[in-house]
Amino acid sequence: DEWIRSNFSPTDYIILKLDVEGSEYDIVPKMIKNKTFLMIDELHLEWHPYWCEVPTIYGQFLSEMISKAYNVKVNDKWNTMGY
């Protein structure tokens, strides 16, 4: 998130694709804490709860919160593993 905040301005249209094989559970909360999502317009990500032993509902909660609190278009509906 530091790279985004250092290299872009709030007026840029930013589409972020995040498929980081479980690290999203560390990255996304940090981006929420640092308010980086104020700069993001679209977020495309895949949650991996089955790799991290995280309840599926946690990713759903974060996606909904980002969408509502930051007005970000969130696409987290693809899942190639069938989970």
Side-chain angles (χ1 to χ4, degrees), residues 7-20:
N7 290 283
F8 295 93
S9 74
T11 58
D12 291 327
Y13 193 92
I14 299 174
I15 301 170
L16 177 62
K17 180 177 185 260
L18 194 62
D19 187 5
V20 289

Side-chain angles (χ1 to χ4, degrees), residues 13-49:
Y13 193 92
I14 299 174
I15 301 170
L16 177 62
K17 180 177 185 260
L18 194 62
D19 187 5
V20 289
E21 313 310 320
S23 293
E24 63 274 12
Y25 294 103
D26 295 321
I27 294 169
V28 169
K30 182 178 180 183
M31 291 179 71
I32 291 169
K33 178 184 174 197
N34 293 337
K35 300 183 179 176
T36 307
F37 283 109
L38 289 171
M39 299 180 70
I40 305 297
D41 297 283
E42 294 182 36
L43 174 63
H44 301 266
L45 78 154
E46 183 175 0
W47 297 107
H48 297 87

Side-chain angles (χ1 to χ4, degrees), residues 61-73:
F61 166 77
L62 290 173
S63 290
E64 187 172 317
M65 201 251 321
I66 292 164
S67 177
K68 290 180 179 178
Y70 295 99
N71 198 31
V72 174
K73 295 176 188 173

